[in-house]
Amino acid sequence: MHFIDPVPLPHDGPSDIAVWRIDIDFAESLNAPAFASLSDEELTRARHFRRHEDALRFATVRAALREQLARGLGIAAHAVRFAADANHRPHLAESDRFDFNVSHAGEHGLIAISPMRRVGVDIEQHSDTFDWHSIATLTLDPKEAVWIEGLDAARQTAAFYDAWVAKEALVKTTGAGITRGLQHLTVLPRESMRVTLRNQIPDDMREVDARWLAAPDGYAACVAWSATAFWR
């Protein structure tokens, strides 16, 4: 792999938001030309991961992000500079032309970029051995947990991950997120690709919208954004 080829993902959100899926090649080396744009700090960070798969996820998505931002900024990918805000949310260090967000899990990653509004993405891989009940109180509204329990066993895991990615994407969009926890966002039952916030909506979520994305088999994915364009 001498380059990373992001796959554009369609969505029915604002046209200024671009979303790509990144496919990870775990046979690759961190010394590959595809990662030449990474900074020394990024390469060091990648090499500190204990598992090669985790290193490749981080390096592949970061290199792809650099390429996409570089195209928009009109500079070389290695010249893109990053910083982090008080909530550790990454942003461009020397420009406010784009907001972006990334996520990765399993063999795939997601990138969302917008020149006009804040964005958030999340992708998760379903696990057959994961018991969603073990973290239900931390992630689900009680009514969501009851709704999932009413599904057949084969659909329960997928429904849980739908809720998880939607809430993570929404929180990542706000930057600070909500202080009370994911269980105070209610997005189930799911009725379409649009994420509908149900019950009482927290103040920091009133101007945020989201859509579930078409994801590879065994994955769930979502993109979220600030409803009001204010970034530029």
Side-chain angles (χ1 to χ4, degrees), residues 176-217:
I178 58 174
T179 59
R180 295 183 300 160
L182 297 181
Q183 70 271 30
H184 293 284
L185 289 176
T186 307
V187 299
L188 297 178
R190 173 178 173 173
E191 296 175 346
S192 66
M193 297 300 281
R194 180 172 184 174
V195 177
T196 300
L197 281 169
R198 304 175 185 279
N199 300 335
Q200 183 176 357
I201 301 174
D203 289 343
D204 57 355
M205 291 292 159
R206 293 184 182 279
E207 298 298 325
V208 184
D209 205 349
R211 299 289 187 276
W212 281 288
L213 297 167
D217 289 344

Side-chain angles (χ1 to χ4, degrees), residues 130 132-133 135-136 139-140 148 155-165 188:
F130 173 66
W132 64 268
H133 298 86
I135 61 170
T139 54
L140 298 176
I148 293 178
R155 296 174 57 200
Q156 287 185 7
T157 297
F160 173 82
Y161 280 106
D162 280 345
W164 189 351
V165 297
L188 297 178

Side-chain angles (χ1 to χ4, degrees), residues 11 17 19 112 119-122 169 195 209-213 221-225:
H11 61 84
I17 301 172
V19 183
V119 289
V121 287
D122 194 54
V195 177
D209 205 349
R211 299 289 187 276
W212 281 288
L213 297 167
C222 187
V223 59
W225 59 87

Side-chain angles (χ1 to χ4, degrees), residues 13-112:
S15 59
D16 57 272
I17 301 172
V19 183
W20 296 271
R21 188 190 77 233
I22 313 300
D23 300 326
I24 317 294
D25 181 359
F26 292 121
E28 197 54 272
S29 163
L30 290 175
N31 297 320
F35 306 126
S37 66
L38 297 182
S39 68
D40 290 343
E41 185 275 334
E42 288 167 335
L43 286 171
T44 298
R45 178 178 171 184
R47 292 188 174 108
H48 280 171
F49 283 102
R50 292 185 177 181
R51 300 197 309 164
H52 182 67
E53 292 85 353
D54 293 332
L56 263 295
R57 289 187 190 99
F58 167 76
T60 303
V61 172
R62 180 55 69 94
L65 174 64
R66 281 184 168 275
E67 291 290 343
Q68 298 304 320
L69 289 172
R71 290 191 181 104
L73 294 169
I75 61 177
H78 66 80
V80 176
R81 297 289 180 264
F82 298 105
D85 63 19
N87 298 300
H88 307 291
R89 188 180 192 273
H91 60 85
L92 288 169
E94 300 169 359
S95 172
D96 62 357
R97 287 179 58 189
F98 298 98
D99 189 51
F100 61 86
N101 198 239
V102 305
S103 180
H104 46 74
E107 299 178 354
H108 305 285
L110 289 181
I111 294 173

